[in-house]
Amino acid sequence: MRLLRDGGSLAALIFPDPASRVAQLKLALKFFFIMLLLFGLNSIIFLDNSYTLEIFTGMVIILMLYGFVSCDTTNIVAGMLLWTLTILASYQAWHSNGLYGTAIIIFPSLLIFANIFAGKLLAYSLISYMLLLFYFFAYAEHSGFIASSIKDSGSIFKKANNLSFMLLMSGLGIGLATRNAKLLIGNLIHNIKKNDDIQLAVNKLVLFDNLTGLPNEIECNKHVIRRVANSHEDNNVFAFIILELTNFEWIYASLGQTIADRIICYLADRLEILHTDHSRLYRSSNNEFIYLIEASDYDEISEYCQQLIQAIARPFPVESFDIEMTSAIGVSILPFDGDNYQKLKQKAHAALTQAKNSRPNSFKFFESEMEASISKRVKMVQELKKAIALQEFELYYQAKVAMADQSVVGAEALIRWHKPGAGIVSPLDFIPIAEESGLINEIGKWALEQACLDCQHWHTLGLGNLSVAVNLSPLQFQRGNLPSIVLRALHNSKLAPSFLELEITESLFIDDSDFIKEQVSQLSTKGVDIAIDDFGTGYSNLNYLTKFHARTLKVDMSFIKDMQQSTQKENLVAAIIKLSAMMALENTAEGIEDHATYMKLRDMKCQYGQGYYWSRPISNKDFIARVKHWDVNDFPKK
Ligand code: C2E
Ligand code: MG
Ligand code: MG
């Protein structure tokens, strides 16, 4: 389009590349050279050598121009060529019948060449010259300077007029045709460019993550294919690293998408800083990045993984928060762990799962045993789904006892899975997998509903003072609808909220988010009690106890069990009990197995206890029978 506005030649538009323009001009020079040669031969054979010298001069000039043509001289050469040919034709016409000569027939074709190779300026100057030439010839003939063989001097000016008119018409036609051709080609170029832009935009959408601008998995796959193809040429260790932000779901659910997106962008920047010439970074999903790295040995990869984890662990200042991200990394190696993208990814994922299960912020290289463990987990998820559909779960109850008089005040609901062919499966074996797969939401909902129904049933049996405690997984808070699930369970069972206690763990408070705080506070406002389970094993941040309206602290079993052997543990238990009293919280000791521990805790003013000393977790039917015949004298006194 710019060339059109500049009045550039058609050739410049058709061949924007100067080298191809030179080639075209050289072709034209060759063409004219051959034409002159043929004309010269014709002159020698049929016309008594009358124009041989002029034709020879023309050919020499063309040869010189041929040698002179270059990217910078195309316009000059085209101009000189056309002027040479025009003057040669004029010369020939002067010597043979002027306006009646044959040479001037070439003029329109010279105008065509001018339009194609040199542009408007040359075409205008040539046509002006040609028109002047017609009238000059007419005048010359009229005055007898040209000895024309055609004796018609009276109408010679009429002839010049006619020729001028025809030349102008041809020139106009050529000009219009050239202009239209230029417009057409300009539009074509414009459309091609537009298509290229669209293609680029589509590629960007398909191949790049639109939040961080990092290439995505498709690009990653392409790189692995190229790397696999060249692997025989390389002695480097090629590592496929999957990096997962393990607490991202939490951040997303509790702080919202905008902040989560900002963290991802900051993080991508941080990760890119660690980028070297030998590594490539991709964003493969919401909370997952892939690194491909060429290293000299495994130690270098380990060091790199360590750097990645440290970079992520540094807090991200977002608005008024300092957000800490946790991550896990799984690594697979080409070609030992796989020779294609799918296999490398699958093995890196297996290693990632192991890393996630070991401790926060760790990395693992793939080992063959990992695959077996993964397939075991996948199988268990299928079995758990079946267990939900076939109602293979049962709640067992463990009595909660008042330390002062050993009376039963309630029970903790502890889930059991009657797995066909495997007997009773402990929650310790399946709850983590239920959490990993998201099935905990359904299982947890069922446990809540069942516990409320059972507790209400106890009341109808005359055990009206008993409350029930239900364990909650932190993941049950993620959807934000836990309060409505709890309230529906209470409503359907007609159990008063004060008889329900919800056990949450300290891990729920890792991030001080309003999202979770609001749900807990909604529940306690409705009269449901909140107990902090396994107190002392997690973050033990006292601040959250008041913030989250907790009513009870459950001292973790690990302190109670070792109390007899360790004065340090004993002091710690005493301190927790004192602390809870100071904060107006109730306390329950878990895992009391013998009389001595019971007596010690009672002396420490511990209020409630649970443990095998009084009762193991038992089925609802057994629990009812047990409570009905509860007798403190049944328990050993030493
Ligand atoms: P937890 O809530 O801390 O439950 C106490 C665990 O200690 C229970 O194990 C109980 O059987 C055991 N226990 C109680 N007294 C004694 C004792 O004197 N000695 C010994 N050695 N152990 C004692 P269980 O039933 O295997 O449950 C393990 C964990 O599984 C629970 O720990 C709880 O975190 C989780 N869990 C159980 N049921 C559910 C559930 O319905 N939902 C969720 N999310 N988690 C559950
Ligand atoms: Mg518990
Ligand atoms: Mg516990």
Side-chain angles (χ1 to χ4, degrees), residues 50 59 129 255 272 279 327 394 465 497 544 557:
S50 30
M59 287 167 67
Y129 165 84
L255 299 179
E272 269 193 304
S279 68
S327 60
E394 185 185 357
N465 61 333
Y544 67 71
M557 188 156 53

Side-chain angles (χ1 to χ4, degrees), residues 543-555:
N543 198 17
Y544 67 71
L545 293 179
T546 44
K547 270 195 199 162
F548 285 85
H549 312 278
R551 196 182 133 179
T552 307
L553 285 191
K554 293 191 79 173
V555 187

Side-chain angles (χ1 to χ4, degrees), residues 412 471 503 533-535 554-557 590:
E412 178 176 1
N471 290 284
E503 295 193 7
D533 202 1
D534 305 338
F535 186 79
K554 293 191 79 173
V555 187
D556 189 63
M557 188 156 53
E590 297 181 292

Side-chain angles (χ1 to χ4, degrees), residues 72-90:
D72 303 325
T73 58
T74 47
N75 277 357
I76 301 169
V77 170
M80 287 174 73
L81 169 71
L82 290 167
W83 273 112
T84 305
L85 294 170
T86 310
I87 289 164
L88 268 178
S90 311

Side-chain angles (χ1 to χ4, degrees), residues 34-52 55 59 92 102:
I34 292 166
M35 292 311 293
L36 283 182
L37 185 67
L38 293 174
F39 196 53
L41 289 175
N42 183 52
S43 167
I44 293 166
I45 299 165
F46 302 109
L47 302 173
D48 309 331
N49 291 340
S50 30
Y51 301 109
T52 318
I55 289 167
M59 287 167 67
Q92 201 266 344
T102 47

Side-chain angles (χ1 to χ4, degrees), residues 398 412-416 426-428 431 440 447 471-473 476 503 533-534 557 561 590-593 610-612 617:
Q398 183 178 40
E412 178 176 1
L414 295 157
I415 197 165
R416 300 289 180 262
S426 155
L428 295 172
I431 292 283
I440 190 67
N471 290 284
L472 291 181
S473 157
Q476 287 175 265
E503 295 193 7
D533 202 1
D534 305 338
M557 188 156 53
K561 274 177 128 185
E590 297 181 292
I592 302 170
E593 292 188 352
Q610 271 176 241
Y612 294 173

Side-chain angles (χ1 to χ4, degrees), residues 563-564 570 595-604:
M563 228 171 65
Q564 303 291 348
E570 192 182 322
H595 183 71
T597 311
Y598 159 60
M599 292 303 284
K600 194 161 249 170
L601 284 162
R602 197 186 67 173
D603 293 346
M604 285 177 180

